[in-house]
Amino acid sequence: MLNNTYAVIDLGSNSFHMKIVEMVAGEPRVISKVKRKVRLASGLDNNNVLSLEAMERGWECLAWFGEHLSELELSRVKVVATATLRLAVNADEFTARGNELLGVPINIISGEREAALIYHGMAVTSNGCGKRLIIDIGGASTELILGDGVTPIVLNSLNMGCVTWLERYFGNGLLTDNNFDAAIAGAKEVLAPVQADYLAHSWQLTLGASGSVQAVQEVLVAQGLNEEVTLAKLQQLKSQCIECGSQDSLLIEGLKPERRVVFVSGLCILIALFEELAITTMLASGGALREGVINQLSGGEQQEDICLASCQSVAQRFQLNSLQSQQVAQVALKFASDIELADTLLPMLKYSALLHEVGVSVDYAQAPKHARYLLSHLPLAGFSKQQRLLLVALVGNYRGNIDVELLKAQGCCSFDEANKLLLCLRLAVICVGRYQGQRCQQLKLAPTEQGFVLEQTSQLFEQAPLLKTMLNQEIADNPLMIS
């Protein structure tokens, strides 16, 4: 039996998902991930009877999942079912056969429980503090959770989803103004009874935790826009869909074939939510229902700083020298304070310092190159796509020639700010050397009209000729530094 391995199966209304992870250095590492488009919700009739055809699609998928679970302890496997099986009057028939196929019981969870798990999944995978609104558009339900930090405040599961809205408003296969208007109005009508509960609060961040949001982001990025979802961008996508005329002709840049069927219905629900809740921007959440279940199964804790926890996990996994990285972080932050960099940028400088030698675990000579690859592909809970790109740009340039294009492409802060962060990191690496952080108290980074100069408060450079040589080389290589 695999004692450090956990599995969660999510029987959604649109897709069935299975995720298997093993715990490594206190963090879940995905070792298997399977998704099947079952579209269970399309099998519900007007009396909420689930068709035999839909159930057979689901059973076929569960038989496949069951093969993967044979070596796992049953106590480390959790199966949850959501909106469609909550609604289906014959759900017992489906779950009885499903239990046999999986070997573990299927738990049909309430809408409120689903919302709480979604928020928990977000809280353990997405960095941030203050009030956050989480939106998860499923096949037959949409969960709205407003929380503060790790605590949910307002939770609702609404009876609308991308599969049910597709059947109800786009059953004729046409993409017309009338169909879109009706679908958006229908979503607003479902939202109306709880709208005031959310508008009574203000929140700092809106996160989307569903395939509908991911599909929208994929299209936006493919069309040369950033990943922030706004109402104006959603309206542009609506116009593009209407121009296609029908579902069969729905071909817009960046829309993957597997996303096409329920794209327009999810888009309508998003537009309604943006308009009725006065949402300005939305980003993707790092996790949702499955991540929440995994965290609870494994007895994981909610971290105050999820990005920091991710960095510590990577450092442990690659056996990085904590004393060295912590000294570099302290000195880099000191230099950032000297030149009065914005407080909001300091966490990213700290994370980059803690991981600056991750590429050394592969090869010293090309450490920055290896760091770029590793940090581009390792799981880093808490980091947005743009934050990850900045991390890659900083760690991937911590020494050697500077790849300016990485700094320009990151999008987390301005190019000028990224340059200053990199300067602080590179100088800290040079000045600390190996475990010599204490000598950096004699140094101060000072701005001038031409750039930056490193001032000494003693005769340090005379006592450390190697340091002086390396700093002279940095002055020659880095356009921000002057002698």
Side-chain angles (χ1 to χ4, degrees):
M1 292 292 181
L2 303 175
N3 293 326
N4 67 334
T5 305
Y6 301 84
V8 59
I9 294 175
D10 169 13
L11 308 184
S13 301
N14 187 38
S15 302
F16 283 8
H17 299 258
M18 180 176 67
K19 186 174 186 178
I20 302 177
V21 306
E22 62 180 359
M23 302 305 293
V24 178
E27 292 289 315
R29 180 171 68 189
V30 178
I31 57 176
S32 181
K33 199 173 183 180
V34 184
K35 173 184 177 181
R36 289 289 297 272
K37 290 283 187 184
V38 176
R39 296 203 170 90
L40 205 62
S42 65
L44 282 176
D45 66 15
N46 292 333
N47 296 312
N48 285 334
V49 175
L50 191 58
S51 69
L52 179 60
E53 181 184 2
M55 288 195 287
E56 287 177 340
R57 291 198 303 271
W59 290 331
E60 180 184 16
C61 181
L62 295 186
W64 188 20
F65 285 176
E67 292 182 28
H68 293 261
L69 303 178
S70 58
E71 295 301 317
L72 298 184
E73 291 184 13
L74 298 186
S75 63
R76 297 172 184 269
V77 180
K78 186 80 170 180
V79 186
V80 294
T82 55
T84 294
L85 290 175
R86 283 200 295 267
L87 292 170
V89 296
N90 55 339
D92 289 348
E93 180 183 352
F94 179 84
T95 57
R97 176 62 178 147
N99 293 343
E100 294 175 3
L101 293 169
L102 292 171
V104 290
I106 295 172
N107 300 278
I108 302 177
I109 58 177
S110 68
E112 185 175 271
R113 177 62 177 157
E114 181 180 1
L117 283 169
I118 289 168
Y119 192 85
H120 183 71
M122 177 281 305
V124 298
T125 56
S126 300
N127 220 40
C129 57
K131 289 186 179 178
R132 292 175 280 186
L133 175 67
I134 313 302
I135 295 174
D136 191 330
I137 301 173
S141 68
T142 294
E143 279 65 48
L144 299 178
I145 315 99
L146 178 67
D148 190 350
V150 298
T151 305
I153 300 172
V154 184
L155 305 93
N156 281 287
S157 181
L158 306 178
N159 289 326
M160 60 180 177
C162 57
V163 175
T164 53
W165 248 231
L166 176 70
E167 301 286 331
R168 185 177 303 180
Y169 296 102
F170 296 95
N172 59 7
L174 299 179
L175 304 180
T176 64
D177 281 305
N178 288 339
N179 284 0
F180 268 90
D181 290 345
I184 293 169
K188 290 180 178 181
E189 184 177 347
V190 173
L191 178 62
V194 300
Q195 179 185 20
D197 295 338
Y198 295 91
L199 294 181
H201 299 267
S202 60
W203 57 90
Q204 288 72 50
L205 183 64
T206 303
L207 297 172
S210 66
S212 292
V213 176
Q214 292 172 10
V216 166
Q217 286 191 318
E218 288 167 3
V219 171
L220 294 178
V221 172
Q223 296 186 8
L225 302 171
N226 64 38
E227 62 184 0
E228 280 192 341
V229 181
T230 66
L231 181 58
K233 291 176 181 176
L234 294 176
Q235 295 288 7
Q236 290 174 12
L237 295 181
K238 171 188 167 185
S239 298
Q240 292 180 32
C241 292
I242 292 172
E243 287 178 8
C244 294
S246 69
Q247 283 277 23
D248 292 338
S249 302
L250 183 58
L251 296 171
I252 62 177
E253 184 181 0
L255 181 59
K256 297 178 180 178
E258 64 269 22
R259 303 268 199 196
R260 283 176 52 193
V261 176
V262 295
F263 181 76
V264 295
S265 49
L267 180 62
C268 289
I269 294 172
L270 272 176
I271 290 173
L273 293 171
F274 265 72
E275 290 183 343
E276 295 302 281
L277 297 180
I279 298 170
T280 54
T281 61
M282 173 190 287
L283 295 173
S285 168
L289 176 65
R290 291 179 290 282
E291 290 70 26
V293 175
I294 286 285
N295 185 263
Q296 292 193 348
L297 261 181
S298 63
E301 298 179 357
Q302 291 184 340
Q303 303 284 342
E304 287 293 326
D305 187 335
I306 297 164
C307 289
L308 178 60
S310 291
C311 292
Q312 291 169 337
S313 177
V314 171
Q316 182 179 347
R317 178 176 174 182
F318 289 91
Q319 299 182 333
L320 303 188
N321 188 304
S322 60
L323 176 60
Q324 174 69 12
S325 61
Q326 288 170 11
Q327 287 195 4
V328 170
Q330 290 170 0
V331 174
L333 292 171
K334 174 189 179 301
F335 289 153
S337 176
D338 289 342
I339 61 174
E340 299 182 348
L341 270 178
D343 289 345
T344 54
L345 298 174
L346 300 185
M348 290 303 300
L349 180 58
K350 178 181 179 180
Y351 305 143
S352 63
L354 293 177
L355 296 180
H356 77 280
E357 288 194 323
V358 66
V360 175
S361 61
V362 180
D363 173 65
Y364 177 80
Q366 299 190 67
K369 174 184 175 182
H370 296 305
R372 293 169 197 167
Y373 179 85
L374 289 171
L375 295 179
S376 294
H377 295 87
L378 284 169
L380 292 171
F383 288 88
S384 70
K385 180 179 179 181
Q386 292 164 323
Q387 288 174 325
R388 182 193 286 264
L389 289 174
L390 178 58
L391 188 69
V392 170
L394 295 176
V395 179
N397 282 310
Y398 87 95
R399 62 173 168 84
N401 295 331
I402 298 174
D403 186 339
V404 175
E405 294 306 313
L406 280 177
L407 295 172
K408 290 180 177 178
Q410 44 79 34
C412 186
C413 60
S414 70
F415 176 61
D416 180 60
E417 289 172 325
N419 257 323
K420 292 175 182 177
L421 288 171
L422 181 60
L423 174 65
C424 293
L425 177 63
R426 287 172 66 98
L427 286 177
V429 171
I430 293 170
C431 294
V432 169
R434 300 310 293 183
Y435 321 117
Q436 299 181 79
Q438 71 282 354
R439 69 183 182 183
C440 298
Q441 298 302 317
Q442 305 173 49
L443 299 171
K444 180 178 181 180
L445 186 60
T448 71
E449 292 183 0
Q450 293 78 31
F452 295 91
V453 63
L454 197 60
E455 300 174 344
Q456 60 174 325
T457 58
S458 67
Q459 302 305 310
L460 174 62
F461 294 155
E462 293 180 10
Q463 301 165 7
L466 176 59
L467 172 60
K468 183 177 180 180
T469 299
M470 295 179 71
L471 287 172
N472 284 335
Q473 185 62 51
E474 180 66 13
I475 291 168
D477 292 344
N478 196 318
L480 292 183
M481 286 296 295
I482 61 173
S483 57

